[in-house]
Amino acid sequence: MTRWEPNARGRLQLAALELYSERGYDQVTVAEIARHAGLTERTYFRYFADKREVLFHGSSALQDLIVEGIAGGPDGLPPIDAVGAALESAVGVFPGRELAGRRQAIVKANPELLERELIKLATLASAIADALRGRGVPDHAASLAAEAGVAVFKVAFQRWVSGEADQSLALVIRQSIAELKIVTA
Amino acid sequence: MTRWEPNARGRLQLAALELYSERGYDQVTVAEIARHAGLTERTYFRYFADKREVLFHGSSALQDLIVEGIAGGPDGLPPIDAVGAALESAVGVFPGRELAGRRQAIVKANPELLERELIKLATLASAIADALRGRGVPDHAASLAAEAGVAVFKVAFQRWVSGEADQSLALVIRQSIAELKIVTA
């Protein structure tokens, strides 16, 4: 008998964050996450392929939104501003700052997770570069604006979750793009 | 009996590049690399901890040179130019373009190696940011200039090994810094 469980995905994500934070990523099993969420292991595997994926769900949605944002952005925007606007338009995929910070701490504490995060960011940079080329930005400039945009995103995200600036992620991204212009000027 | 082997390190690196290119990283053993170089496995392990390290030797020298370049750079340079000059000053650690390209192709073809490469670049960005802070660059600006500098380095290195511009790595870095200024302007 399959029961529909309200917001099973979100409950599993939250349960995973709680247990990984408390005990460390390596010490927690999928069975424990499912139990903590009041669900079965079978339900877990309906949503996530393994214990790692629960932390990376949403990264392809993020990439899709950013790529769409670049493709659909207004004509004539300088490349870095096209990337900045697209990054801002995608912040809705992130949970609140507290949960995002907890996830960040888990990922940073585990080399395997950090490597996966870095691969995702490298893939994101390639996708952004392709989207910029699709807008007619020359090859090399597209790669540079994409990598610089992802660089801004990393720094802004870190600043946002640190809580040092009590601002929305979108605003921190906007300020960081402005600051990139200053440090490169 | 230990024999001194002239340029054992370089011979092992070259042998590894050749075998990894021909057969794929996963198909090659340390014993085969040593034999191909005309050396013993024992000699191999005097230089490299495992079959992966032979591809990453030099990355700490690279980081040291870049950090020293930033710390010792002329006063008053804008942060991104301090990073650019330091990157240029460190290009001597790389082999010629053909070997660097061969290594790059091996690393890109293997997720485990690519992850290690990305971790090294992330570590490099942190070290550059610290060096900039040591020069009095404010915290957030230092992170941005460091990440943007590493972004330039990635794109420039890729361009250099691709051979599309028949130029020195130092020159491609300088041009890429200039182009970053254009895409962010």
Side-chain angles (χ1 to χ4, degrees), chain A:
Chain A
M1 193 181 81
T2 306
R3 245 176 359 131
W4 178 75
E5 294 286 357
N7 191 23
R9 188 195 302 280
R11 283 158 63 190
L12 290 164
Q13 288 175 300
L14 191 58
L17 285 183
E18 284 178 0
L19 294 181
Y20 291 162
S21 296
E22 271 168 33
R23 284 196 246 149
Y25 176 75
D26 288 332
Q27 311 312 318
V28 178
T29 66
V30 164
E32 288 167 329
I33 295 169
R35 199 180 318 130
H36 196 65
L39 297 166
T40 63
E41 230 179 311
R42 195 174 146 181
T43 301
Y44 181 97
F45 287 116
R46 211 177 298 143
Y47 291 97
F48 307 109
D50 54 34
K51 66 180 277 195
R52 198 171 66 169
E53 273 317 293
V54 68
L55 292 167
F56 291 94
H57 177 78
S59 64
S60 65
L62 175 72
Q63 181 167 316
D64 292 348
L65 278 170
I66 293 171
V67 165
E68 282 164 28
I70 291 170
D75 286 343
L77 270 190
I80 196 71
D81 293 313
V83 177
L87 293 172
E88 279 188 54
S89 74
V91 299
V93 303
F94 293 105
R97 190 166 71 191
E98 200 272 321
L99 287 183
R102 214 188 278 191
R103 175 191 173 281
Q104 179 95 334
I106 295 163
V107 169
K108 280 189 155 184
N110 186 295
E112 180 200 337
L113 298 174
L114 184 57
E115 284 169 357
R116 181 151 176 83
E117 182 95 326
L118 292 172
I119 289 271
K120 295 249 178 197
L121 288 169
T123 308
L124 176 62
S126 295
I128 291 174
D130 285 343
L132 288 171
R133 283 182 203 108
R135 282 175 67 93
V137 176
D139 184 42
H140 199 224
S143 298
L144 277 169
E147 292 285 352
V150 170
V152 164
F153 180 70
K154 281 167 71 174
V155 174
F157 196 85
Q158 186 55 47
R159 190 179 207 197
W160 177 60
V161 298
S162 78
E164 58 184 89
D166 187 20
Q167 292 161 332
S168 71
L169 177 55
L171 186 56
V172 182
I173 289 171
R174 194 175 312 174
Q175 288 172 345
S176 299
I177 291 276
E179 226 177 314
L180 175 71
K181 294 181 182 202
I182 295 169
V183 298
T184 56

Side-chain angles (χ1 to χ4, degrees), chain B residues 106-178:
Chain B
I106 295 162
V107 168
K108 280 190 155 185
N110 185 296
E112 178 200 339
L113 298 175
L114 184 57
E115 283 169 357
R116 182 152 177 83
E117 182 95 326
L118 292 171
I119 290 270
K120 294 250 177 198
L121 288 169
T123 308
L124 175 62
S126 295
I128 291 174
D130 285 343
L132 288 171
R133 284 184 202 107
R135 282 175 66 92
V137 176
D139 183 41
H140 199 224
S143 298
L144 277 168
E147 292 285 351
V150 170
V152 164
F153 180 69
K154 280 166 72 174
V155 174
F157 196 84
Q158 187 55 48
R159 190 178 206 197
W160 177 61
V161 299
S162 77
E164 59 183 88
D166 186 21
Q167 292 161 331
S168 72
L169 177 55
L171 186 56
V172 181
I173 289 170
R174 194 175 312 174
Q175 288 173 346
S176 299
I177 291 276

